[in-house]
Amino acid sequence: MLIQVRACPKFAPNTNDRRGLLNDELPHCESVDVSGKQATIPQCRDPFDRAFLNLAVAGQADVLVTGDADILVLADAFAVPMLSPGSFRRQLSGDEGEAG
């Protein structure tokens, strides 16, 4: 899924950027086999998002970081904690109390 997401122009506008990001990210990735593991997930507006939600549950993610409003709206009904990129960044830096 990482490769699929990185193919979106909004995440990396050109092929060289995509390759560079993948080279940086892939060593920190873990493969998750989701075949036959359809998780119980809340109904989402965008059917494409179901794969990300299923992956988060099957992979026992600690957190799902997303800027997708269709996913974030499900945070209260989802088994995996969800954070926006800004909230995640603040949490990592220890600035959880700051707004924005």
Side-chain angles (χ1 to χ4, degrees):
M1 292 198 85
L2 176 63
I3 293 169
Q4 182 179 358
V5 168
R6 282 293 178 213
C8 296
K10 93 178 193 184
F11 294 112
N14 65 56
T15 302
N16 288 335
D17 288 345
R18 281 184 229 129
R19 284 189 190 124
L21 288 168
L22 284 172
N23 286 339
D24 290 344
E25 295 167 340
L26 282 175
H28 305 285
C29 291
E30 177 182 326
S31 293
V32 176
D33 179 10
V34 295
S35 60
K37 296 180 183 175
Q38 291 301 312
T40 301
I41 57 174
Q43 188 65 33
C44 51
R45 292 182 285 216
D46 184 349
F48 178 73
D49 292 339
R50 291 188 63 78
F52 293 99
L53 299 171
N54 192 46
L55 179 61
V57 172
Q60 300 175 343
D62 295 324
V63 64
L64 175 59
V65 180
T66 181
D68 187 323
D70 286 340
I71 294 177
L72 284 169
V73 74
L74 304 173
D76 290 339
F78 194 57
V80 176
M82 289 186 199
L83 293 172
S84 68
S87 295
F88 185 66
R89 191 176 315 110
R90 285 188 298 277
Q91 190 176 77
L92 287 178
S93 67
D95 295 333
E96 295 96 359
E98 291 184 18

